[in-house]
Amino acid sequence: MTTPFQPPRIVAPSILASDYGTFGSEAADAEAKGGDWLHLDVMDGHFVENISFGPGVVKALRPHTKLFFDVHLMLTRPDRYWEAFAKAGADGITVHVESEHDVGSTLEKIRAAGLKTGLALNPGTPFETMQPYLTEIDLLLIMTVVPGFGGQSFMHETLPKIEAGVAERDRLGLSYHIEVDGGIDAQTAVHAAQAGANVLVAGTTIFKAPDRAAAIRSLREA
Ligand code: DX5
Ligand code: ZN
């Protein structure tokens, strides 16, 4: 019997909620105020209703911070675009299980390029769809809102999927992170962390806070 993986708490400010006019300094500020990773939401206007930014912006942000770039691809065809984000400076790339691609093959290519691999599922998607890929990932992203926009309310009905992610990780002796994304604040972070999430993505809670360092601390300690 091996000891279950005890992942560290990681707070990942989501640049989507920052000031787009000063993206570079916003990224630097996320690091200065104590963020552990920078979460970058890429939206194609097709897989989700919103359009955010592409690899050119990720590349332009790269010199502004040393934070781990946690790139979340909300794209219909992540298999066509992940490489551009890898070249732009991504450290980890998360793709969706619902997108139109051979999930196993995309994950394998991302790993072969030397990046961390992540797999995401939407609130309406059952946990079982992740099962075939759990041994291939460094990060399991449980969406806690329907993706597309920042500032939405946390969906408590997603909590059992976090618990399932922990149970399967322990059962299989794996060591992936469990990340939650959407509607995370000091209160909902407690619920997500109790269920077993260790990477907390937060846009609004951090970037719109009067004191960003305090907001990050409140998530770290939640
Ligand atoms: C949702 C995005 C999130 C978003 C979270 O579509 O994937 O990363 O930035 O924003 P908040 O923290 O404001 O809910
Ligand atoms: Zn995201």
Side-chain angles (χ1 to χ4, degrees):
M1 180 76 199
T2 49
T3 324
F5 178 55
Q6 297 286 352
R9 174 71 59 86
I10 291 168
V11 178
S14 171
I15 196 85
L16 192 70
S18 73
D19 178 352
Y20 290 15
T22 57
F23 246 177
S25 55
E26 290 284 73
D29 195 50
E31 181 171 5
K33 299 290 162 57
D36 301 302
W37 290 1
L38 191 67
H39 187 80
L40 299 128
D41 284 312
V42 180
M43 306 179 176
D44 66 356
H46 191 258
F47 182 73
V48 292
E49 274 177 47
N50 199 3
I51 298 178
S52 59
F53 49 80
V57 169
V58 176
K59 187 175 179 203
L61 283 175
R62 193 60 281 189
H64 292 270
T65 169
K66 291 191 173 59
L67 290 180
F68 179 96
F69 271 15
D70 173 33
V71 175
H72 176 193
L73 298 183
M74 285 162 273
L75 307 176
T76 299
R77 294 295 304 264
D79 53 325
R80 290 186 182 163
Y81 294 100
W82 70 266
E83 207 170 358
F85 290 93
K87 287 190 180 130
D91 296 295
I93 294 188
T94 296
V95 296
H96 270 261
V97 72
E98 302 89 354
S99 295
E100 294 168 18
H101 62 136
D102 177 335
V103 175
S105 152
T106 307
L107 291 172
E108 195 183 314
K109 287 176 183 153
I110 294 171
R111 179 179 302 286
L115 279 77
K116 299 290 183 195
T117 58
L119 189 61
L121 85 173
N122 285 336
T125 305
F127 179 79
E128 289 63 43
T129 58
M130 310 299 263
Q131 199 75 48
Y133 312 111
L134 294 177
T135 56
E136 314 301 323
I137 59 173
D138 299 298
L139 178 140
L140 174 66
L141 169 52
I142 312 276
M143 289 306 302
T144 45
V145 299
V146 175
F149 298 91
Q152 303 184 75
S153 299
F154 182 85
M155 295 169 67
H156 284 84
E157 57 269 40
T158 60
L159 290 171
K161 286 197 274 190
I162 301 172
E163 291 164 355
V166 174
E168 281 305 282
R169 184 174 66 196
D170 293 350
R171 190 178 72 81
L172 299 167
L174 301 172
S175 55
Y176 50 77
H177 294 283
I178 300 180
E179 179 175 70
V180 282
D181 186 6
I184 299 296
D185 59 25
Q187 278 79 48
T188 58
V190 173
H191 299 291
Q194 275 171 353
N198 70 294
V199 184
L200 306 176
V201 174
T204 308
T205 294
I206 294 172
F207 282 103
K208 308 285 192 231
D211 182 345
R212 292 177 178 177
I216 289 172
R217 259 197 321 275
S218 74
L219 296 177
R220 195 183 305 292
E221 290 160 9

